Amino acid sequence: MALDQYREEEEEEEGMSFLDHLEQLRWHLVRSIAAVLIFSVLAFLSKSIVFGQIILGPSKVDFFTYRMLCKVSEALGISALCIDELPFILQSRQMTGQFSMHMTSSLVVGLIVAFPYVFWEIWRFISPGLYDKERKAARGAVFFVSLLFFMGAAFGYYILSPLSINFLSNYRLDPSIANEFDITSYISTLVMLVLASAVMFQLPVVIYFLSMSGLVTSGMLKSYRRHAVVIILVLSAVITPPDVISQLLIAMPILVLYEAGIMIAKRLEKRKREEEALIEND
């Protein structure tokens, strides 16, 4: 029943005027914003969990990543890997600082949790304008985009953020200078690292659609591999703190995803050649 209703909606959308499409887009956006707000309100009400444990998690030495690094250091006998101290304190230097960051953090958490639904709403608006062949080729787009988004967010939260926070908290020009970070700066850095990783992990999806539309080929991606490496390193340097380790940590998985994109483009080209051969034989 749900599938039949969805097909009826698609057929109705095909005969819509420009204003009808705008109205349809408005409702997709309204439902998306409503989903984000609902999860944001839930996050706001769960302050002790969302803010105390998740947002401030990487600022505490009992964070999952730090504990795992200490276990690895014990197994390998390398004490330098264990992070058992974060020499900084968080402060709020503005009267509205904590409340503003509570609101901002809740909105970011709401956006991340509601992302699959938001993308599904956007996809519902875009997909009726695709050809049947394109729609078939893009089957599962919501699942894979959401999967890569959460993988990137998890990578940014569990790997990139704690190591970056550790580097910045231990970096001192002089021992007499204490690191006392404003809560606004801390949350902004954390959000930037998590969301930037989530977005950059969408590279295989971008390559897939560009290859499917014929804008790029596997040969083109191979020939521009060196340029891609430079661009990825520059982007990594922009979105991460100024330490080589953090830059390499985000650059390495993106390079792997770029190579995965080349494999995807190859597979699409092979499938296209097979389809053309079948047409010629018929």
Side-chain angles (χ1 to χ4, degrees):
M1 290 293 293
L3 182 59
D4 293 338
Q5 184 179 357
Y6 179 61
R7 288 175 177 173
E8 290 177 2
E9 291 178 359
E10 288 182 346
E11 291 175 358
E12 291 176 0
E13 289 178 356
E14 289 178 357
M16 287 182 178
S17 65
F18 178 72
L19 294 178
D20 292 331
H21 279 290
L22 287 180
E23 179 67 13
Q24 194 74 15
L25 175 61
R26 184 173 74 89
W27 281 109
H28 284 297
L29 293 176
V30 167
R31 288 191 291 268
S32 300
I33 294 172
V36 173
L37 291 178
I38 289 172
F39 284 110
S40 297
V41 170
L42 293 175
F44 186 86
L45 297 176
S46 306
K47 178 176 66 174
S48 60
I49 297 175
V50 173
F51 199 86
Q53 298 181 21
I54 298 177
I55 302 297
L56 294 179
S59 68
K60 303 173 182 178
V61 292
D62 61 348
F63 186 61
F64 174 80
T65 303
Y66 303 139
R67 288 189 283 111
M68 291 300 104
L69 285 174
C70 286
K71 289 182 180 180
V72 172
S73 69
E74 291 179 4
L76 299 178
I78 304 175
S79 59
L81 292 176
C82 184
I83 299 173
D84 54 4
E85 181 184 7
L86 294 172
F88 75 95
I89 61 172
L90 292 175
Q91 294 183 344
S92 179
R93 296 184 177 87
Q94 298 178 357
M95 185 173 293
T96 60
Q98 294 195 51
F99 180 76
S100 298
M101 285 301 99
H102 190 189
M103 293 284 292
T104 302
S105 302
S106 300
L107 285 172
V108 172
V109 171
L111 175 62
I112 292 175
V113 175
F115 177 81
Y117 178 79
V118 172
F119 185 77
W120 181 69
E121 285 287 352
I122 296 173
W123 185 250
R124 283 185 62 194
F125 177 75
I126 295 175
S127 59
L130 301 176
Y131 294 107
D132 291 337
K133 182 180 179 181
E134 294 173 338
R135 198 179 306 172
K136 182 179 179 182
R139 186 180 300 169
V142 175
F143 172 78
F144 288 108
V145 168
S146 300
L147 178 63
L148 289 171
F149 180 86
F150 285 124
M151 287 176 60
F155 176 83
Y157 180 72
Y158 285 106
I159 304 297
L160 194 59
S161 295
L163 295 181
S164 299
I165 290 171
N166 174 65
F167 169 79
L168 293 173
S169 65
N170 283 281
Y171 187 85
R172 293 187 181 186
L173 296 174
D174 188 86
S176 64
I177 304 175
N179 283 327
E180 300 177 353
F181 303 141
D182 188 84
I183 187 64
T184 303
S185 175
Y186 170 82
I187 293 180
S188 298
T189 302
L190 180 65
V191 169
M192 180 188 67
L193 292 173
V194 171
L195 292 183
S197 297
V199 171
M200 292 188 72
F201 265 59
Q202 300 299 318
L203 183 59
V205 176
V206 174
I207 292 177
Y208 176 83
F209 283 104
L210 290 176
S211 179
M212 189 174 63
S213 61
L215 294 177
V216 298
T217 63
S218 60
M220 184 186 302
L221 294 172
K222 287 182 180 179
S223 63
Y224 285 98
R225 183 184 278 120
R226 293 181 180 178
H227 302 80
V229 171
V230 174
I231 293 173
I232 290 171
L233 289 174
V234 171
L235 289 176
S236 301
V238 170
I239 67 176
T240 59
D243 68 300
V244 178
I245 296 177
S246 297
Q247 294 171 11
L248 291 178
L249 277 174
I250 193 171
M252 288 174 62
I254 302 303
L255 290 172
V256 172
L257 292 173
Y258 183 83
E259 294 298 325
I262 294 177
M263 299 299 295
I264 291 172
K266 280 185 178 180
R267 187 173 180 180
L268 288 174
E269 291 167 2
K270 181 180 178 182
R271 185 189 303 172
K272 186 177 180 181
R273 288 194 298 267
E274 290 175 352
E275 291 176 355
E276 291 176 351
L278 287 174
I279 294 173
E280 291 178 357
N281 292 332
D282 292 341

